[in-house]
Amino acid sequence: MSQNDRKLHREAALTAGRPAPHIPPRQTKAHRIKDDAEAIAVARELAREFAAGAVVRDRERRLPIAEIERFSQAGLWAITVPKDYGGAGVSAVTLAEVTAIISAADSSIGQIPQNHFYMVEALRLAGTEEQKRHYFARILDGDRLGNAFTEIGTRTPVDYKTSFVKRDGKLRLNGQKFYATGSLFAHIIVVVAKDDTGRVHIVFIDRATPGLDLVDDWSSFGQRSTGSGTVTFDDVEITPFQVVDHDVVFEKPTPMGPFAQIIHSAVQVGLARGALAEAISYIRAYARPFFELSIEHGYEDPHSIHQIGDVSIRVHAADALLARAGRLLDLATADPNERTVAEASIAVAEVKALGTEVAQLAATKLIELGGARSTLESYGLDRFWRNARTHSLHDPVRWKYHHIGNYYLNGLLPPRHGAL
């Protein structure tokens, strides 16, 4: 098999999956959350529900279709819609905390709405008044947005072949996307595509539009039930009303980048919280003492006590950095300029860097301190490490440290893009 044949084989394997699940039309309008406090309360209630089936969903790669419907119908997918358009317009602090709460219970469910919130923010920053009124109303009623952002086979993850052109008096969109987290559960697919000048836009396309095809072919060892598979667009007809300029949100200082990243940071912090809580629970219930010790219980082991103390400090530090990043992002949202946006980007990068490390540390200590029995498949404890490791690859942490160091050491402002 030639190198080119192997390349084609690998790319073909990515699109050999299961058909997209049927998403029935909404029967009722979603609940409308009034404020930040209600958003946190609802998230805590849902987290208890979602935690109950997390092990089975992960083991069987079962898509959380009913859970996502419950999630959005409870009103949490509309909490960032601005108050002027009928939404709660919650703070970034609250959005991050909601994400962390859900992610501690099931990080796949916690990640799924990330791109939905990203596209809501893009609408807020770059949509026309008519577009905002139309799409914000649909989101408040319970419609979900799914992402079709990154492609396979391009030089970098932000190079795009997907494009739309005018032909026979109509706009036609063609291309294929992968890592399309949220699209399998979405009512509207939001695709990133270039126009004939090379400018990047986001295009809102109803799920049932002819030429749009969804495939459930996500096969990663972690974040198994995010449904982050393939979306194909074959001569899909679109209108100018569906198109929002994406480049414009990075051509001037806006909170778009840190807004996108604080949600990913919150997923990692949530994973760290969840792994630590599981470690404490498991050690208390099952861990046995080392035979050199004359103690009755594993949780009396001084080394285990020390390491749980160490991990707890690090998780609490990540919690504090997440809240701090949210506060700085709220300042940048209220007054976007080069200084406030840079401060928010660096603060979010800090929590993403620490949160990523702590999530993997907590997940590793869960197994190490739990002992050999903790590796049994029935417990599903390995999901924390697999999920943390997989999700961490979304944006390389090594580049977070680079920009953080350059900011503090050399006074260099970080670049403006969706990964910082």
Side-chain angles (χ1 to χ4, degrees):
M1 183 182 289
S2 69
Q3 183 176 353
N4 187 58
D5 287 340
R6 285 194 295 272
K7 179 175 180 292
L8 291 174
H9 176 74
R10 287 195 301 270
E11 292 183 354
L14 290 170
T15 58
R18 298 162 293 280
H22 173 65
I23 303 297
R26 287 184 293 100
Q27 299 301 311
T28 60
K29 292 183 178 181
H31 170 70
R32 291 202 180 186
I33 287 176
K34 300 184 295 297
D35 53 31
D36 295 60
E38 185 183 5
I40 297 294
V42 172
R44 287 174 177 159
E45 178 185 346
L46 292 183
R48 287 190 288 270
E49 296 179 20
F50 297 160
V55 172
V56 173
R57 286 191 298 272
D58 173 79
R59 183 188 304 132
E60 299 179 359
R61 203 181 293 272
R62 183 186 301 173
L63 294 177
I65 296 171
E67 290 79 8
I68 293 300
E69 180 71 9
R70 176 90 169 90
F71 197 176
S72 60
Q73 283 295 105
L76 285 175
W77 285 49
I79 57 176
T80 62
V81 172
K83 292 180 181 179
D84 289 347
Y85 296 88
V90 303
S91 68
V93 174
T94 294
L95 176 62
E97 182 61 18
V98 164
T99 302
I101 289 169
I102 298 296
S103 296
D106 186 328
S107 60
S108 286
I109 294 178
Q111 183 187 351
I112 286 169
Q114 189 274 336
N115 286 287
H116 167 96
F117 289 121
Y118 180 93
M119 299 307 179
V120 172
E121 181 69 357
L123 268 173
R124 186 186 74 83
L125 292 171
T128 66
E129 281 303 307
E130 291 77 16
Q131 288 170 326
K132 291 176 185 179
R133 285 196 296 270
H134 174 78
Y135 288 112
F136 286 162
R138 291 186 62 176
I139 291 162
L140 286 166
D141 285 348
D143 280 356
R144 299 183 291 267
L145 309 180
N147 112 89
F149 211 115
T150 307
E151 302 174 15
I152 288 178
T154 55
R155 189 181 70 87
T156 76
V158 293
D159 291 329
Y160 310 112
K161 296 179 181 178
T162 301
S163 61
F164 59 91
V165 297
K166 194 169 187 177
R167 191 171 68 245
D168 299 328
K170 296 180 179 179
L171 291 176
R172 300 282 182 176
L173 187 146
N174 288 276
Q176 187 177 77
K177 301 287 186 174
F178 193 61
Y179 309 113
T181 304
S183 287
L184 291 180
F185 313 96
H187 303 95
I188 302 169
I189 311 300
V190 188
V191 56
V192 175
K194 291 183 175 180
D195 64 15
D196 55 6
T197 71
R199 192 167 182 83
V200 178
H201 302 266
I202 57 175
V203 186
F204 294 72
I205 303 175
D206 284 335
R207 182 189 185 94
T209 301
L212 189 159
D213 185 52
L214 299 164
V215 180
D216 176 17
D217 58 352
W218 177 242
S219 59
S220 171
F221 66 65
Q223 295 296 89
R224 289 177 170 178
S225 57
T226 57
S228 303
T230 299
V231 185
T232 302
F233 305 91
D234 184 9
D235 233 19
V236 173
E237 184 178 335
I238 61 174
T239 67
F241 181 78
Q242 297 169 259
V243 180
V244 174
D245 192 330
H246 187 255
D247 279 346
V248 71
V249 300
F250 298 111
E251 290 173 344
K252 59 184 179 180
T254 73
M256 189 79 250
F259 180 91
Q261 283 297 301
I262 199 169
I263 305 172
H264 284 303
S265 302
V267 172
Q268 289 290 335
V269 172
L271 273 162
R273 291 181 190 176
L276 175 60
E278 284 281 3
I280 292 170
S281 176
Y282 185 90
I283 292 167
R284 292 284 307 176
Y286 301 114
R288 296 189 293 181
F290 189 54
F291 62 82
E292 291 183 7
L293 296 170
S294 58
I295 57 177
E296 292 297 318
H297 307 287
Y299 55 77
E300 297 173 295
D301 184 324
H303 297 295
S304 295
I305 292 170
H306 174 88
Q307 293 194 42
I308 289 296
D310 178 68
V311 174
S312 297
I313 292 169
R314 296 172 191 273
V315 172
H316 295 158
D319 285 340
L321 282 181
L322 185 65
R324 171 179 174 267
R327 291 191 296 271
L328 288 173
L329 178 50
D330 285 329
L331 292 175
T333 300
D335 180 21
N337 57 60
E338 284 197 352
R339 180 186 60 81
T340 59
V341 170
E343 288 177 349
S345 292
I346 292 299
V348 171
E350 290 177 24
V351 66
K352 180 69 183 300
L354 181 63
T356 295
E357 292 184 359
V358 174
Q360 291 173 52
L361 174 66
T364 297
K365 292 301 179 181
L366 164 58
I367 303 299
E368 176 187 335
L369 302 179
R373 184 178 171 187
S374 69
T375 66
L376 295 180
E377 186 179 20
S378 58
Y379 294 120
L381 300 181
D382 60 311
R383 74 187 189 277
F384 289 99
W385 187 89
R386 288 187 289 98
N387 290 341
R389 180 71 275 182
T390 297
H391 181 263
S392 73
L393 303 176
H394 194 281
D395 302 290
V397 165
R398 60 188 179 273
W399 277 97
K400 310 293 186 189
Y401 285 107
H402 174 80
H403 291 305
I404 293 166
N406 248 340
Y407 178 75
Y408 289 118
L409 182 62
N410 299 317
L412 296 181
L413 301 184
R416 293 195 296 265
H417 54 63
L420 192 64

